[in-house]
């Protein structure tokens, strides 16, 4: 379903339920992905042991121009929940969440630096000393609670793949 209030209304008028696609694994770096422009929010990206942003793994290349997001970031929770709320306010009957699976660890808080020339983008974690899988599980629970706050008949569909922990 296109992310559009008009599309939702048209679908409902024809008797269809509306369940838009959303994703929380990564973010594109060349447009505002789900209302988030990466370079306005670099604090939401996973960093590896070297302090580098982590590309989305697909075929072993970096051709996708996407970076993995940190499900333990309070800033990412806020941005993602705002987007899901927008979809629900437009009349969605739930959300379809793609790419639900194991998460890479995020070491970004180790690399927080202050630069006196501009406001810092500080990478924080909501939960300390837990796995990123745990944080993602809590994140998904928060999204579910948000969707269900619009009515018990609202749904959350997870595309976790077969045999995964999130199935």
């Amino acid at each position: 379903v296109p992310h559009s209030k008009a599309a939702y209304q048209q679908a409902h008028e024809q008797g269809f339920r509306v369940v838009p696609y959303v994703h929380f694994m990564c973010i594109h770096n060349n447009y505002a992905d789900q209302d988030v422009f990466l370079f306005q929010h670099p604090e939401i990206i996973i960093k590896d042991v070297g302090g580098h942003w982590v590309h989305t793994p697909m075929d072993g290349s970096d051709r996708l121009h996407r970076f993995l997001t940190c499900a333990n970031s309070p800033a990412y929770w806020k941005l993602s929940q705002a987007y899901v709320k927008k979809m629900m306010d437009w009349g969605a009957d739930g959300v379809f969440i793609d790419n639900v699976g194991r998460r890479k660890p995020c070491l970004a808080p180790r690399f927080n630096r202050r630069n006196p020339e501009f406001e810092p983008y500080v990478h924080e974690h909501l939960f300390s000393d837990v796995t990123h899988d745990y944080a993602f599980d809590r994140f998904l629970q928060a999204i579910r609670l948000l969707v269900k706050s619009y009515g018990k008949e609202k749904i959350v569909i997870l595309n976790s793949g077969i045999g995964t922990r999130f199935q």
Side-chain angles (χ1 to χ4, degrees), residues 13 24 29 32 36 49 64-65 74 83 87 93 98 110 123 137 165-166:
E13 287 168 5
F24 303 113
N29 68 6
V36 179
V49 68
L64 295 176
H65 306 290
Y83 193 73
M87 297 296 104
D93 295 297
D98 198 9
R110 296 181 183 177
H123 189 112
D137 186 54
R165 175 177 176 262
F166 292 100

Side-chain angles (χ1 to χ4, degrees), residues 65-115:
H65 306 290
R66 297 188 301 201
F67 294 96
L68 296 178
T69 53
C70 178
N72 203 0
S73 161
Y76 193 60
W77 277 48
K78 181 179 177 182
L79 293 164
S80 297
Q81 287 178 323
Y83 193 73
V84 170
K85 183 180 182 323
K86 177 176 146 179
M87 297 296 104
M88 298 306 295
D89 286 346
W90 283 353
D93 295 297
V95 292
F96 172 89
I97 303 174
D98 198 9
N99 300 313
V100 176
R102 293 190 56 83
R103 303 293 294 228
K104 290 185 179 270
C106 179
L107 305 174
R110 296 181 183 177
F111 300 98
N112 285 333
R113 300 285 186 269
R114 304 258 183 219
N115 183 333

